[in-house]
Amino acid sequence: MSWLPHIPLGAGADALVDWIKAHLPELLAWITNAFNTTAGGLTTFLLLFHPLLVAAVFALIAAWVRSLWFALFVLVGLVLTMSMELWDPAMQTLSMVLVATAVALVVGIPIGILAARSSVVSMLVRPVLDFLQTIPALVYLVPVVIFFSIGYAPGVVATIVFAIAPGVRLTELAIRQVDAETVEAGHAFGGTPGQILRGIQLPLGLPTIMAGVNQVIMLALSMVVIAGFVGAPGLGQVVTNAFGRVNVAVGFEAGLAIVILAIFLDRITGAVGKPTPHSLSAMVRGRRKAAAQEAVAAEQSDAQDVSQQKQSARASGGAA
């Protein structure tokens, strides 16, 4: 419609990107170095050990928090990843996802707590989260590449921007859905807002918060392929290279490795929020509880025997 005036929103965004790049080069360089060093260092650490040892540790974690059957799946899946010669890219992807998730949660959970406590903060944050969740990821990859060049940093930043929203939303929901009477009881006993938050709201809202953590991780993994377009290393780069060469075999294998990582992280975080009775930790707690009950029962039995012996002695003395 030529009769409508053109509002130069795109030119404004371009000018903002140029201003940030011109006036904040030290900050951008610091962020780039921080993310490249952190993700690269974590990757180096994971690759320092033999892949079978790392797979065994991951399987042990799966058995401890989930079940032995899931541990077997994790072990088989990771060995399959090794056999497809995708172990190094898988560890690069895992490092990038863990770093991005940690930053997203460190930023997102406090914002969610503030939004739960203040309707004004909630009102201001909600449209920003809507914008972040609906804008196509490829749109903000352009300024990310301009700011952070290629490597881990652009992938981590893009993943944080894409995945932070569920952490904020579900943290706010977790705090708001705690029973008001329970919170009032905490106030009645003289609890400060910080004590009520740490002792009542966060523990009771933990399952919902962990659901937010789970969603952050899943969205972060869904970004690895897109991050591959901006030079982020890992399985995403393998997929994008396969896409460019129309190599179905390599693309399928890299996608399968991403699925294995996704299932592993999904089940682990889900078990933290909702412990399963089939995990090794639950079995150990059950045995400890049974042993404690047996010890208490034995003490009570010994006390009853002693009491009966005393009563018998008194009865014998009275008869004499």
Side-chain angles (χ1 to χ4, degrees):
M1 296 183 180
S2 58
W3 53 272
L4 285 176
H6 176 71
I7 302 175
L9 297 178
D14 188 37
L16 177 62
V17 169
D18 291 339
W19 185 90
I20 293 174
K21 189 170 179 62
H23 292 81
L24 301 174
E26 294 84 4
L27 177 61
L28 297 177
W30 181 83
I31 294 174
T32 302
N33 292 332
F35 285 147
N36 284 338
T37 302
T38 305
L42 183 56
T43 301
T44 302
F45 175 76
L46 291 173
L47 296 177
L48 186 64
F49 306 97
H50 194 280
L52 287 176
L53 177 61
V54 177
V57 172
F58 287 167
L60 182 61
I61 295 173
W64 182 256
V65 303
R66 193 75 188 186
S67 68
L68 293 175
W69 285 110
F70 181 62
L72 180 60
F73 166 81
V74 170
L75 186 61
V76 172
L78 294 178
V79 171
L80 179 61
T81 302
M82 298 175 206
S83 71
M84 295 186 296
E85 299 182 354
L86 292 173
W87 181 256
D88 289 4
M91 294 302 99
Q92 291 172 335
T93 295
L94 180 61
S95 300
M96 190 169 64
V97 168
L98 292 179
V99 172
T101 300
V103 175
L105 293 178
V106 168
V107 175
I109 289 179
I111 294 176
I113 293 173
L114 290 176
R117 291 189 166 192
S118 171
S119 299
V120 175
V121 175
S122 178
M123 181 180 65
L124 294 175
V125 167
R126 192 176 298 116
V128 176
L129 298 180
D130 293 339
F131 177 80
L132 293 179
Q133 285 188 298
T134 53
I135 187 172
L138 289 174
V139 173
Y140 57 76
L141 282 183
V142 177
V144 163
V145 173
I146 294 174
F147 291 152
F148 307 108
S149 184
I150 61 174
Y152 284 106
V156 172
V157 172
T159 303
I160 293 170
V161 173
F162 185 73
I164 193 173
V168 178
R169 291 187 188 277
L170 288 175
T171 300
E172 179 183 359
L173 177 63
I175 301 300
R176 288 185 181 275
Q177 72 180 3
V178 174
D179 186 37
E181 295 182 356
T182 305
V183 176
E184 290 176 1
H187 285 296
F189 281 100
T192 64
Q195 291 173 334
I196 292 173
L197 176 66
R198 294 190 302 270
I200 297 176
Q201 292 174 318
L202 288 179
L204 293 179
L206 182 61
T208 305
I209 294 174
M210 290 307 302
V213 174
N214 179 274
Q215 290 300 308
V216 170
I217 292 176
M218 293 299 100
L219 288 177
L221 272 171
S222 70
M223 273 294 294
V224 298
V225 175
I226 297 178
F229 284 103
V230 295
L235 294 171
Q237 192 174 68
V238 177
V239 172
T240 54
N241 290 338
F243 177 78
R245 300 172 183 174
V246 197
N247 192 329
V248 177
V250 174
F252 176 80
E253 290 178 350
L256 182 60
I258 293 173
V259 170
I260 293 170
L261 282 180
I263 294 175
F264 170 67
L265 295 173
D266 174 67
R267 299 297 188 272
I268 293 297
T269 54
V272 172
K274 297 178 181 179
T276 61
H278 305 294
S279 64
L280 286 181
S281 60
M283 294 178 185
V284 170
R285 287 194 300 268
R287 290 181 179 179
R288 289 178 178 176
K289 184 177 180 180
Q293 291 175 346
E294 290 178 0
V296 171
E299 291 178 358
Q300 292 177 348
S301 178
D302 292 341
Q304 290 177 356
D305 292 341
V306 172
S307 177
Q308 290 176 357
Q309 290 175 0
K310 289 182 179 179
Q311 290 176 359
S312 299
R314 291 174 182 173
S316 300

